[in-house]
Amino acid sequence: MEKVHGNLSGLRPAQKKALENLYRRRIEPGRIGSPELARNLAELSHDVRREVGVLIDRRGRVISVSVADARGTEFPDLRLGENRLAGFHLLHAHPKGGALSKGDLSTLFLKRLDAVSAIEVQEGGRPGLVHTAHLTPPGTVGEEEDWRILPPAQPFEIDDFDLGAQVSALEEEIARAARTREAKKDHERAILVQIDQGEFDAEERLDELGELARTAGAEVVYKELIYRRHLKPGTLVGAGKLEELTSKAYHLDADLLIFGQELGSAQAREIEAATGLKVIDRTQLILDIFALHAQGVESRLQVELAQLRYMKPRLLGAGAQLSRIGGSGGSAAGGAIGTRGPGETKLELDRRRINDRLSFLEKQLEGVSNRREERRKSRERNDVPVVSIVGYTNAGKSTLLNSFTHAAEEPRRVLAENKLFATLRPTSRQGYIEGIGQVIFTDTVGFIRDLPKDLTRAFRSTLEEIGDADVLLHVVDAASPGADQRQSAVNRILDDLGFADLPTVVALNKADAADPEVLEREQERTGGIPVSALKNLGLTELKDALGDAIASVQRAELARQEEARAARVEWR
């Protein structure tokens, strides 16, 4: 293994030897460095005309030498405890002079170093002032948010500062703050990021991401809309912005970073490596919400199917993941029967297991779909009109169904919560409409813009039941901004499913909480009927409109049947 890291091109053998000799240096434990080490670093940096740095552990040993700035310094691959610092500090020389740079301070924070120190190199390679900074505990309010910069010291004073005592006190304070926060924290604390590439509804998308996070059980402590015309290939937002988000997470005690854009597996890993946070995207968040709210057998099967389809192309196949399982040189070499030969990689094994599970789930769902088809045929034989209630998630569909069917108590009452995707399976209840008689009202899964394709595929059989309705009741939340965009998102999904031409009645729900001018404008735009499912306002007018729509469908069906009967008579 090479002793010196970094760009060594152009260095003379004597210079390389002098750099290697830095490994033999030792300083007093718990100190920044020694006057002799400061002089050696300044002379070498002046000689090679580059920054030269050493990593020193808490026992005073030099464990790494790098010819690079702080960002390019070689660091050991260590897994840090949540309440611990890295266990070593960086001492390096600036050949052009100057105090600690932004790169120095960023490295201090991101690597959680015990400290970082920069030696100003003066004319002739003499060491000048030594600048030192160390981290501050989370929540510290002061001039430096993430770190504290100490007054500069002379090189002969470099061993006066008791770094060991400072590190012990800092780790104790970090641990105490963590215990206090852990006692108060009962939810994951999340930071939300929505990238604005010029969309007119970017802010609304960020608000919706916040609702999704809340529904999943997270506590949103910070959210940011980041404008990027062109996304960075690896991290979407760039290293500088990730550093800012890491700082926010450090001080707000956040452990989850949620992106509004779908992330590739490589992007998620790169962002996690840069921030040290758990990273998920909008699709994973929605899948998690579906898994949280799935109650029936069918819903659970569909959610698991969607999760496996999402997970399959994102299996990681590197390093230990590619180690061979069961491969050996035969029984003499310890291989069991059935495991000999080249073996199978863990990646291949995981994929095979997922494929087997996918096949099983698809067969199970096929059986559920057949049973639902029999129930549909039974309703058709009874000739009972069907109204499918569709709409954006959390528009009030389930509450409206409960109001229509007077289902105040279990088991007839449908779950209705102020959360996204509270209802995942189609629920049918019998109601009554004056002039029509018995009617079946079916509540469907809520729609959302850019519904993940894996979920659309999994719930397709459920959504296709909408096509068996005589009339669609499109519920629009008139009290929230962007009602027209949410209605358009629902219409796009209906169009994709081939149901856009079905007779539709629009209900402008939550009219009691809507702005009167906005409500009037929505009435003119949609021809919808203002209602409040929660307060039972406007339901009579809505039922009348549904009755007229159903009667129109029935008249058209009678005319079609009469025309077909006349055609048969004429043919005979």
Side-chain angles (χ1 to χ4, degrees):
M1 178 179 174
E2 293 184 3
K3 291 185 176 181
V4 181
H5 307 281
N7 182 10
L8 307 183
S9 61
L11 297 187
R12 299 188 303 274
Q15 293 172 327
K16 293 180 181 180
K17 186 66 176 177
L19 289 168
E20 291 177 3
N21 287 338
L22 291 175
Y23 271 101
R24 301 189 179 92
R25 301 294 185 190
R26 291 184 67 94
I27 65 171
E28 184 181 348
R31 302 297 167 181
I32 296 280
S34 66
E36 182 185 4
L37 180 58
R39 185 176 66 254
N40 292 151
L41 285 173
E43 290 173 350
L44 276 170
S45 180
H46 177 74
D47 190 24
V48 301
R49 298 181 181 181
R50 303 176 197 172
E51 291 190 27
V52 176
V54 293
L55 275 181
I56 304 172
D57 66 13
R58 293 180 183 176
R59 297 167 68 179
R61 300 174 304 178
V62 173
I63 61 172
S64 175
V65 178
S66 296
V67 181
D69 58 14
R71 292 184 187 272
T73 299
E74 190 81 13
F75 293 96
D77 184 18
L78 297 178
R79 294 189 178 275
L80 307 177
E82 184 179 351
N83 304 323
R84 294 287 309 278
L85 299 178
F88 43 80
H89 64 277
L90 173 64
L91 176 64
H92 67 303
H94 284 178
K96 297 181 180 179
L100 291 165
S101 66
K102 181 173 176 55
D104 295 337
L105 296 171
S106 296
T107 303
L108 166 70
F109 174 71
L110 294 175
K111 299 295 184 180
R112 296 179 69 181
L113 300 177
D114 291 358
V116 62
S117 299
I119 305 167
E120 292 190 47
V121 179
Q122 297 180 340
E123 187 177 351
R126 292 180 294 105
L129 292 176
V130 181
H131 303 268
T132 300
H134 61 77
L135 292 178
T136 55
T140 300
V141 178
E143 184 179 352
E144 296 88 17
E145 189 178 6
D146 298 325
W147 46 73
R148 182 176 297 121
I149 300 177
L150 304 178
Q154 295 293 336
F156 56 82
E157 300 173 326
I158 193 170
D159 54 356
D160 288 348
F161 180 69
D162 192 347
L163 179 62
Q166 173 61 41
V167 167
S168 297
L170 180 57
E171 286 189 334
E172 185 178 339
E173 198 169 344
I174 290 174
R176 187 187 309 114
R179 288 193 297 269
T180 303
R181 290 193 303 272
E182 194 63 35
K184 297 179 180 178
K185 185 168 67 173
D186 55 355
H187 297 287
E188 284 187 278
R189 293 167 66 84
I191 289 178
L192 310 185
V193 176
Q194 178 68 44
I195 300 175
D196 177 10
Q197 291 187 275
E199 299 95 346
F200 61 89
D201 59 345
E203 290 187 8
E204 187 182 331
R205 287 173 179 267
L206 179 60
D207 291 338
E208 184 176 86
L209 189 65
E211 282 300 302
L212 288 169
R214 183 182 69 85
T215 302
E219 180 184 354
V220 178
V221 295
Y222 179 75
K223 55 185 181 180
E224 183 170 352
L225 186 65
I226 301 173
Y227 180 77
R228 286 286 188 279
R229 175 63 69 180
H230 303 290
L231 300 181
K232 301 287 184 181
T235 61
L236 298 186
V237 296
K241 179 54 69 174
L242 286 184
E243 187 178 317
E244 292 178 22
L245 294 172
T246 305
S247 175
K248 286 287 183 184
Y250 178 73
H251 291 281
L252 297 173
D253 190 33
D255 42 25
L256 180 61
L257 185 58
I258 303 176
F259 276 80
Q261 279 67 24
E262 185 167 329
L263 301 174
S265 56
Q267 289 173 325
R269 288 197 299 272
E270 189 167 341
I271 295 171
E272 283 182 353
T275 62
L277 303 170
K278 182 169 76 172
V279 177
I280 66 173
D281 59 18
R282 180 177 179 269
T283 299
Q284 287 174 282
L285 185 60
I286 293 176
L287 286 170
D288 184 79
I289 294 169
F290 271 60
L292 181 67
H293 289 174
Q295 299 295 328
V297 174
E298 183 183 11
S299 298
R300 290 196 182 103
L301 290 173
Q302 288 172 324
V303 169
E304 185 180 355
L305 187 66
Q307 287 178 321
L308 289 175
R309 282 175 173 161
Y310 180 83
M311 185 192 309
K312 182 181 172 182
R314 288 168 170 77
L315 288 176
L316 178 62
Q321 298 286 340
L322 288 177
S323 60
R324 291 282 170 180
I325 297 175
S328 70
S331 58
I337 295 174
T339 65
R340 301 165 192 166
E344 183 177 34
T345 68
K346 187 176 187 303
L347 180 65
E348 292 163 352
L349 184 62
D350 288 343
R351 281 181 176 154
R352 182 159 57 80
R353 286 174 174 169
I354 286 180
N355 286 332
D356 291 344
R357 184 64 179 170
L358 285 172
S359 299
F360 172 77
L361 292 173
E362 286 167 352
K363 288 179 181 177
Q364 292 288 104
L365 282 172
E366 186 178 344
V368 173
S369 180
N370 291 337
R371 290 192 292 272
R372 194 193 309 116
E373 182 67 24
E374 290 300 321
R375 291 196 299 270
R376 283 208 299 262
K377 289 179 179 178
S378 176
R379 288 203 300 265
E380 289 175 3
R381 285 195 295 269
N382 294 332
D383 200 26
V384 178
V386 176
V387 175
S388 279
I389 306 175
V390 300
Y392 210 78
T393 181
N394 205 30
K397 301 183 301 298
S398 299
T399 305
L400 189 58
L401 176 62
N402 287 332
S403 299
F404 272 158
T405 57
H406 306 289
E409 298 179 357
E410 295 287 359
R412 284 178 54 80
R413 185 175 67 85
V414 178
L415 176 65
E417 293 184 302
N418 185 25
K419 289 183 177 180
L420 307 186
F421 303 115
T423 303
L424 293 187
R425 58 177 178 174
T427 306
S428 297
R429 294 289 185 268
Q430 196 172 61
Y432 181 83
I433 292 181
E434 190 73 33
I436 299 297
Q438 297 296 326
V439 174
I440 298 295
F441 292 99
T442 301
D443 185 19
T444 61
V445 62
F447 295 174
I448 194 169
R449 63 166 67 92
D450 304 327
L451 186 68
K453 59 181 181 296
D454 293 313
L455 276 175
T456 305
R457 289 171 59 193
F459 280 82
R460 193 166 193 86
S461 59
T462 301
L463 296 174
E464 284 175 351
E465 188 167 332
I466 297 170
D468 297 322
D470 297 283
V471 173
L472 297 183
L473 175 56
H474 188 162
V475 182
V476 177
D477 181 358
S480 299
D484 55 339
Q485 297 304 314
R486 291 193 296 275
Q487 185 181 6
S488 297
V490 173
N491 287 336
R492 280 194 297 272
I493 296 174
L494 292 174
D495 189 44
D496 290 341
L497 294 169
F499 306 144
D501 295 332
L502 286 174
T504 304
V505 175
V506 177
L508 300 174
N509 195 24
K510 307 182 185 180
D512 56 313
D515 181 90
E517 293 184 3
V518 173
L519 186 61
E520 184 178 353
R521 189 166 60 247
E522 287 300 308
Q523 280 183 268
E524 293 177 0
R525 184 181 66 84
T526 64
I529 299 169
V531 298
S532 172
L534 192 62
K535 297 186 177 180
N536 292 327
L537 300 176
L539 299 188
T540 301
E541 292 82 354
L542 183 57
K543 281 188 173 184
D544 289 343
L546 288 171
D548 292 341
I550 294 172
S552 178
V553 170
Q554 290 175 337
R555 286 194 298 270
E557 178 62 21
L558 287 173
R560 188 191 64 79
Q561 292 176 1
E562 186 62 32
E563 185 178 343
R565 190 180 301 112
R568 285 196 301 270
V569 170
E570 183 178 350
W571 181 81
R572 287 173 183 170

